[in-house]
Amino acid sequence: MEAKPRKSDPGREFPRLANIGLSGILVTFSDVLSEPANRAALAFRARLGAESWAGIEETTTSLTSVYIRFDPGHLSHSKLRKSLTALIESEDWFASSLPRKLTVWRIPTAYGGSFG
């Protein structure tokens, strides 16, 4: 069961759920990087972590997606998809605030010259 498109992302099929192997699900908020899609992925992962669902072993984000690794002995794809769909539909993730306690990494780079 796919999640319904959000009002802030009209005409698109996002967020989208995809099974990844035997023990993973990917929640994708966009196929292209945008500030709302990035914010949605970060906020969704933070909320999912705060929920502390039994059977979820790991979550991680990319720029516009959240990967959820779970224990298939404790939780089935269909049960997790149903729970994720309910969480997705509980709010407009594209309009969410950024979660607190984010770490911003600044990596200095040099292009050209003796250090480039």
Side-chain angles (χ1 to χ4, degrees), residues 28-45:
T28 303
F29 290 92
S30 180
D31 284 338
V32 296
L33 177 59
S34 69
E35 194 274 331
N38 180 249
R39 185 176 55 233
L42 292 170
F44 185 79
R45 180 185 181 211

Side-chain angles (χ1 to χ4, degrees), residues 15-62:
R16 181 174 57 215
L17 297 170
N19 291 350
I20 306 294
L22 297 174
S23 61
I25 293 182
L26 186 68
V27 180
T28 303
F29 290 92
S30 180
D31 284 338
V32 296
L33 177 59
S34 69
E35 194 274 331
N38 180 249
R39 185 176 55 233
L42 292 170
F44 185 79
R45 180 185 181 211
R47 173 78 178 277
L48 187 58
E51 296 283 325
S52 298
W53 293 350
I56 291 181
E57 297 180 335
E58 175 184 19
T59 62
T60 188
T61 56
S62 68

